[in-house]
């Protein structure tokens, strides 16, 4: 069996540091892209359609986007990289979020 990734698998930070990163607060300003999201120290906590949550932190530069999501135990993860024309069309973001949710809920 492959070990979980270092961060959420607890191999990168001390337990107290990882716990601090997972301590999140409700972030309603993220609702347009991630309904019900919470945010903390770099990590976003997003509800899964099948129950539970995933953690991630995406990023954008003109013409390129990265989205990711990892199960709370760190054993399942999805990383999505996409290129495009840099438009701010929210349908692309929703499609990316749906792909992450679908994969983590399998």
């Amino acid at each position: 069996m492959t070990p979980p990734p270092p961060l959420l698998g607890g191999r990168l930070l001390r337990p107290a540091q990882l716990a601090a990163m997972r301590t999140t607060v409700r972030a309603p300003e993220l609702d347009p892209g991630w309904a019900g999201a919470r945010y903390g120290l770099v990590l976003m906590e997003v509800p899964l359609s099948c129950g539970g949550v995933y953690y991630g932190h995406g990023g954008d530069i003109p013409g390129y986007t990265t989205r990711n999501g990892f199960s709370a135990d760190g054993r399942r993860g999805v990383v999505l990289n996409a290129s495009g024309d840099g438009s701010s069309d929210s349908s692309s973001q929703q499609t990316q979020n749906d792909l992450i949710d679908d994969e983590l809920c399998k």
Side-chain angles (χ1 to χ4, degrees):
M1 175 188 253
T2 304
L7 179 61
L8 292 178
R11 298 184 333 213
L12 185 63
L13 300 174
R14 292 184 192 112
Q17 292 170 316
L18 181 56
M21 286 185 77
R22 287 184 173 201
T23 301
T24 58
V25 297
R26 183 70 178 92
E29 64 275 13
L30 296 175
D31 280 346
W34 298 273
R38 299 175 59 86
Y39 199 79
L41 298 173
V42 182
L43 288 180
M44 183 169 52
E45 180 183 292
V46 181
L48 286 165
S49 65
C50 57
V53 299
Y54 74 84
Y55 292 93
H57 183 92
D60 299 299
I61 59 173
Y64 189 78
T65 186
T66 300
R67 295 286 180 265
N68 57 60
F70 292 88
S71 62
D73 65 5
R75 295 194 178 275
R76 294 184 47 92
V78 178
V79 177
L80 174 65
N81 296 304
S83 59
D85 62 6
S87 70
S88 60
D89 178 7
S90 63
S91 66
S92 295
Q93 178 174 307
Q94 188 57 54
T95 300
Q96 295 163 357
N97 294 347
D98 290 347
L99 284 168
I100 292 169
D101 186 84
D102 289 348
E103 287 300 314
L104 292 176
C105 283
K106 283 186 177 180

